[in-house]
Amino acid sequence: YNDYGLKVVTALDYLADEFSRDEGYDGFRSHVVPSISVPFHVGPYVQGYSSVSLLRTDYRLDDTNDPSSGGDIDDTNDRTLPIFVAGLSTALERIYSVDEDSWLRNATSWGSTNQDEGLVRVRHTIEPFTRFTGIPDRDQDDLPVFDSIDRIGEKRSLAYGFSTSLYGRFSSQSSISQRNEDLIGQPKVLPGTELLSSTRDTEDLRSVAGGARVSDGQTRELITFIAKQNFDILEYSRDRDPDDNGLSDVDTGVYLFPTPQFALGFESTIDTEAGKFTSWSIMTNMSSDSGHALGGKWDFVQDSIEKDALINQFEGSAEVVLTNQLKAGVYSRMDTLRGNSLESRGALRWYGSCRCWHVDLGYGQRANPSENEVLLSFTLHGLGDIAQAVRVDSEDADS
């Protein structure tokens, strides 16, 4: 114990991939990442952390032919890359009482199961944060390129922003935890209904799929707004691009949770110089008292060069409770620009009589790469899951 909450947190991550390709180099790649983090706080005012990670990547190739150059690359190679991250944050808050006839109290009591819950107080929080990331320059031209992890460029950047939230405390909240588990948590687990994927990097932003944050069984999140921006220190100091001042577009997100059964979110990326949106997403999740659920997400991303739609797609999910032990779910993702289906899945979930385990059986189709998939998953609550997916490539490989 110490006055500043200082402690040392160590971690060791390991990731291994085996790449097999018809043409070009393939083989084995492994990442070993030891890290040390030191969190701290200065009284109740400021909290922060600093961490150092060492990314060690090793390659052992079976085929060394490089189709792009026509030559061969080394069958063994490695890379060691230190990564430094530090962050600071603080929080301001104020508590207000809520009148019995307040519109906010009425809005948070929608639905038959919420009539016995009265909003008595709200807590408003403002939480600014900043985070520095530093990665030194390393020559990686001789390494194979399987995906984006094989090329990690030099980086010195400062991310900053804030979030502001409104939390409500209710007079009777005995059943909220159970409802969150049954009506909001399960759609994240049922194959085909997870809507957490995003078309852009929105670290620090969130999704409505997980529902509102609940603490101590009586306090629930009602609304949250997040805004963040990134400042590229390298670009600003070296001025490699005269048209780039180092400031990224601004990522924003607003999320509404009036009741445990309904959520609505809007995320956007704003070009501050042009004063317009370059991307946006609208998402919603809703459920009934009996456990039926609907979810949807619409993504739009603008092409930075052509200034027209680069991505315009909609994904939706639905769950139906058939019996006390059986639930069905469907999921679909469509390209609204071309009017074709990108992915679709369906699944059945069977619960044990004790509700301590469940089995999922599903079938799905994907357009790119063209494949069919059969999924069988067994989950023992509290321990994790054992899942097996069997993919069958379609004959139409060009779709």
Side-chain angles (χ1 to χ4, degrees):
Y1 173 82
N2 58 82
D3 293 337
Y4 298 99
L6 288 167
K7 58 182 177 180
V8 176
V9 180
T10 60
L12 179 63
D13 295 328
Y14 179 76
L15 173 65
D17 295 291
E18 179 72 30
F19 296 93
S20 178
R21 306 196 290 189
D22 292 335
E23 296 182 5
Y25 50 79
D26 58 13
F28 181 78
R29 181 188 70 184
S30 65
H31 301 284
V32 180
V33 191
S35 63
I36 297 178
S37 302
V38 180
F40 65 91
H41 64 79
V42 181
Y45 309 108
V46 176
Q47 60 183 0
Y49 66 92
S50 61
S51 69
V52 177
S53 304
L54 199 63
L55 172 62
R56 167 75 182 196
T57 307
D58 287 278
Y59 300 87
R60 300 293 182 268
L61 302 183
D62 300 324
D63 188 339
T64 59
N65 177 254
D66 186 356
S68 61
S69 64
D72 290 328
I73 60 177
D74 295 337
D75 59 349
T76 59
N77 216 323
D78 59 72
R79 171 191 62 188
T80 302
L81 197 62
I83 302 174
F84 175 76
V85 180
L88 286 174
S89 63
T90 187
L92 305 173
E93 65 177 42
R94 186 173 179 179
I95 297 176
Y96 303 87
S97 298
V98 178
D99 297 333
E100 290 189 3
D101 58 349
S102 168
W103 67 270
L104 187 57
R105 182 183 177 116
N106 295 330
T108 54
S109 299
W110 294 342
S112 59
T113 59
N114 299 314
Q115 295 303 308
D116 62 337
E117 299 167 355
L119 181 65
V120 293
R121 289 188 298 276
V122 295
R123 175 164 55 95
H124 180 215
T125 65
I126 301 175
E127 302 176 60
F129 61 86
T130 183
R131 180 181 63 253
F132 172 80
T133 303
I135 303 175
D137 186 23
R138 289 289 186 273
D139 184 7
Q140 304 168 65
D141 293 340
D142 294 336
L143 301 181
V145 180
F146 294 115
D147 53 37
S148 59
I149 303 179
D150 298 302
R151 293 292 186 271
I152 300 178
E154 182 182 9
K155 185 174 185 179
R156 285 200 295 273
S157 66
L158 186 68
Y160 51 88
F162 74 96
S163 67
T164 178
S165 300
L166 200 65
Y167 294 87
R169 187 169 183 85
F170 294 80
S171 58
S172 175
Q173 203 80 340
S174 58
S175 59
I176 242 189
S177 296
Q178 182 65 33
R179 284 204 305 275
N180 274 345
E181 179 182 353
D182 289 345
L183 302 183
I184 297 179
Q186 289 178 0
K188 295 173 59 181
V189 181
L190 184 64
T193 61
E194 186 175 9
L195 301 179
L196 298 180
S197 61
S198 180
T199 56
R200 61 184 186 277
D201 178 16
T202 53
E203 184 183 3
D204 295 327
L205 299 186
R206 51 178 298 193
S207 169
V208 301
R213 291 172 290 199
V214 179
S215 63
D216 65 35
Q218 292 184 322
T219 302
R220 174 168 56 84
E221 177 186 17
L222 302 177
I223 182 173
T224 291
F225 173 79
I226 302 174
K228 78 180 190 78
Q229 189 177 38
N230 190 73
F231 176 56
D232 190 337
I233 301 175
L234 277 179
E235 176 59 41
Y236 180 78
S237 60
R238 298 177 180 178
D239 196 21
R240 293 171 292 189
D241 184 354
D243 298 327
D244 188 353
N245 58 7
L247 292 174
S248 71
D249 294 345
V250 178
D251 284 329
T252 64
V254 58
Y255 312 92
L256 304 175
F257 306 95
T259 71
Q261 294 88 4
F262 178 74
L264 180 67
F266 176 77
E267 294 179 354
S268 66
T269 302
I270 305 173
D271 185 343
T272 54
E273 293 186 0
K276 62 180 181 180
F277 293 104
T278 56
S279 67
W280 51 261
S281 297
I282 299 175
M283 61 196 81
T284 184
N285 262 27
M286 61 189 74
S287 56
S288 66
D289 297 338
S290 57
H292 307 310
L294 288 174
K297 188 167 184 276
W298 188 5
D299 288 314
F300 174 86
V301 178
Q302 184 186 69
D303 191 318
S304 59
I305 299 177
E306 300 295 335
K307 304 302 181 182
D308 55 2
L310 179 64
I311 295 176
N312 195 342
Q313 65 184 30
F314 175 81
E315 51 186 314
S317 64
E319 293 183 6
V320 178
V321 177
L322 303 176
T323 68
N324 187 45
Q325 292 181 262
L326 187 62
K327 176 185 286 189
V330 293
Y331 166 85
S332 179
R333 183 164 58 97
M334 294 190 61
D335 184 348
T336 55
L337 283 176
R338 301 167 183 82
N340 61 316
S341 175
L342 300 175
E343 187 178 2
S344 61
R345 293 179 232 152
L348 287 174
R349 167 172 293 177
W350 176 264
Y351 290 95
S353 57
C354 62
R355 306 285 291 190
C356 58
W357 60 267
H358 65 257
V359 175
D360 296 328
L361 178 62
Y363 175 78
Q365 293 181 323
R366 180 177 298 177
N368 189 15
S370 179
E371 63 183 15
N372 300 330
E373 179 182 77
V374 177
L375 174 69
L376 176 63
S377 172
F378 174 77
T379 300
L380 185 63
H381 292 196
L383 295 180
D385 66 277
I386 301 173
Q388 179 64 47
V390 179
R391 293 178 174 85
V392 182
D393 293 338
S394 300
E395 295 181 359
D396 183 11
D398 296 329
S399 61

